[in-house]
Amino acid sequence: MANEIRVGVAGLTHGHVGGLIDSWQSVPNARLVAVSDPTPLIDVHGPKFEKTYKTWQEMLDKETFDALVVTSNNIESAEIAVQALSKGIPCLVEKAMAANYADAKRMLEARDKSGQTLMINWPIAWSPWPHELKRQLESGVIGKPFHFKFRTGHYGPREIGCDQWFVEWLYDESLNGGGAIADFCCYGAVLARWYFGLPEKVYCVKKNYTKDYDVVDDHAVCVLKYPTMSAIIEGTWATFGFDPSANTVIHGKQGTLAVFGNDVGLYVAGKDDVKTPSKPLDFPSSAPYFLHCIQTGKTPEGILDPIIAADACKILDAANKSAKTGCEVDI
């Protein structure tokens, strides 16, 4: 690859796109060549790029890229990635990987056929605590784990001020893959998969509990059943204010690990509590790490690995099916 890195962005309706563009602007020799989007958001972000397009298809036909950032709705993002990978373009797709496992599988197949890098970006990957929690878990300090808890969210995309184009597809089950379950349970699903592998069964309860407008679900709770442990992941668009208790928590036979901010606490009966600050990450954000993977041929690690992200889609597919049937679903 030449010293100059030609970067494109396909889609601007994912609300995380601004931070991803900022990340690329911090990379030496990165050139923001082109961006595509049919909405007025092109007027907001377009001036940062050399060229603008209304459609990603036209952009991919006319431009060559060393890296493509994919930030549309969860259905279109999957199709963009499949098409771009088939053209030999490495792709960074913003979370979640896809609206369903079938599309995630198509993306993996396109990656394997092309030999190009595919990375699924999760904002929490650039916080040090998930990595510190993984290190301590694997050290055996709490013994054999038997329960995992994760909860995240806010009180609603519209209510917190997300732009109308982001809200439009977040509230569309066909484009998002659900409501709060797709937006926020995906984080818990991908962490559970990274830490513990795929569960055997999934049970889910979800509903619109608080909104006075139509949305498929504003709160979801998923129970993951493993052979020797359980996990609860919770996503919400309904919670006004979070309590200051630990999040995430892993209980083991000999103790508990609990996250407070970027500190990981260790709690063992009969011993003093220990809080360990998480170690700094080698890469500060998505763009330099993605570029490192492209240039070295390294497969993105942890939750950035598309195989792990695809399995998170599989977990959420089962959760959505469970919520509709009222029964637990086999993975």
Side-chain angles (χ1 to χ4, degrees):
M1 184 182 297
N3 289 331
E4 179 182 79
I5 310 301
R6 294 175 57 86
V7 180
V9 172
L12 293 170
T13 59
H14 197 303
H16 298 176
V17 66
L20 294 172
I21 293 172
D22 290 345
S23 181
W24 278 106
Q25 288 179 318
S26 70
V27 174
N29 301 324
R31 177 180 164 194
L32 299 182
V33 173
V35 59
S36 64
D37 193 80
T39 75
L41 292 171
I42 200 74
D43 298 326
V44 177
H45 296 288
K48 304 170 187 176
F49 294 80
E50 297 173 11
K51 297 179 184 179
T52 62
Y53 293 88
K54 288 292 185 182
T55 70
W56 58 268
Q57 294 93 336
E58 182 184 10
M59 183 178 73
L60 293 186
D61 284 343
K62 293 184 176 180
E63 302 291 343
T64 59
F65 297 113
D66 300 309
L68 183 69
V69 176
V70 184
T71 37
S72 186
N73 65 67
N74 289 343
I75 288 290
E76 188 173 53
S77 284
E79 184 61 28
I80 294 170
V82 168
Q83 296 299 325
L85 287 164
S86 71
K87 291 177 178 287
I89 304 171
C91 290
L92 184 161
V93 179
E94 182 62 10
K95 79 90 187 171
M97 184 172 182
N100 54 69
Y101 178 68
D103 278 348
K105 187 177 178 181
R106 289 176 59 230
M107 295 165 72
L108 290 176
E109 290 169 349
R111 179 201 67 161
D112 294 343
K113 187 174 181 179
S114 68
Q116 298 298 324
T117 301
L118 172 62
M119 185 175 104
I120 311 306
N121 186 64
W122 300 83
I124 59 171
W126 311 110
S127 295
W129 69 261
H131 309 275
E132 180 64 31
L133 187 59
K134 175 78 165 175
R135 280 192 290 269
Q136 294 205 34
L137 176 65
E138 291 182 342
S139 75
V141 69
I142 62 168
K144 187 179 179 303
F146 66 86
H147 188 58
F148 169 76
K149 295 188 292 185
F150 177 86
R151 184 176 194 267
T152 192
H154 48 55
Y155 53 94
R158 183 181 297 173
E159 288 78 4
I160 69 168
C162 293
D163 68 58
Q164 69 183 80
W165 300 280
F166 193 21
V167 168
E168 186 176 273
W169 71 260
L170 281 176
Y171 287 2
D172 185 332
E173 183 178 15
S174 65
L175 298 179
N176 188 15
I181 190 174
D183 192 17
F184 284 120
C185 285
C186 62
Y187 286 102
V190 80
L191 285 173
R193 165 60 180 85
W194 184 34
Y195 293 153
F196 310 110
L198 274 171
E200 292 183 329
K201 299 177 184 292
V202 176
Y203 178 76
C204 175
V205 177
K206 68 169 189 170
K207 192 176 180 179
N208 177 8
Y209 293 100
T210 69
K211 307 304 183 196
D212 59 3
Y213 52 83
D214 188 32
V215 59
V216 60
D217 61 85
D218 70 355
H219 193 88
V221 179
C222 306
V223 180
L224 281 52
K225 296 172 67 176
Y226 291 83
T228 60
M229 65 170 290
S230 63
I232 294 178
I233 59 177
E234 191 173 353
T236 184
W237 284 345
T239 302
F240 283 80
F242 281 74
D243 66 70
S245 59
N247 187 20
T248 304
V249 178
I250 302 175
H251 297 287
K253 187 176 180 180
Q254 297 170 8
T256 294
L257 292 170
V259 177
F260 296 88
N262 275 315
D263 294 342
V264 176
L266 171 62
Y267 304 90
V268 177
K271 296 184 179 180
D272 291 339
D273 300 342
V274 178
K275 278 190 179 179
T276 303
S278 300
K279 298 177 182 178
L281 302 179
D282 293 334
F283 292 88
S285 63
S286 59
Y289 180 75
F290 182 50
L291 181 58
H292 171 72
C293 291
I294 294 171
Q295 293 177 331
T296 63
K298 179 185 180 71
T299 299
E301 294 181 329
I303 60 176
L304 305 172
D305 184 337
I307 291 177
I308 289 177
D311 280 349
C313 291
K314 186 181 291 187
I315 291 170
L316 290 188
D317 276 4
N320 277 315
K321 183 177 180 181
S322 171
K324 290 176 181 178
T325 63
C327 303
E328 67 179 16
V329 174
D330 292 336
I331 290 291

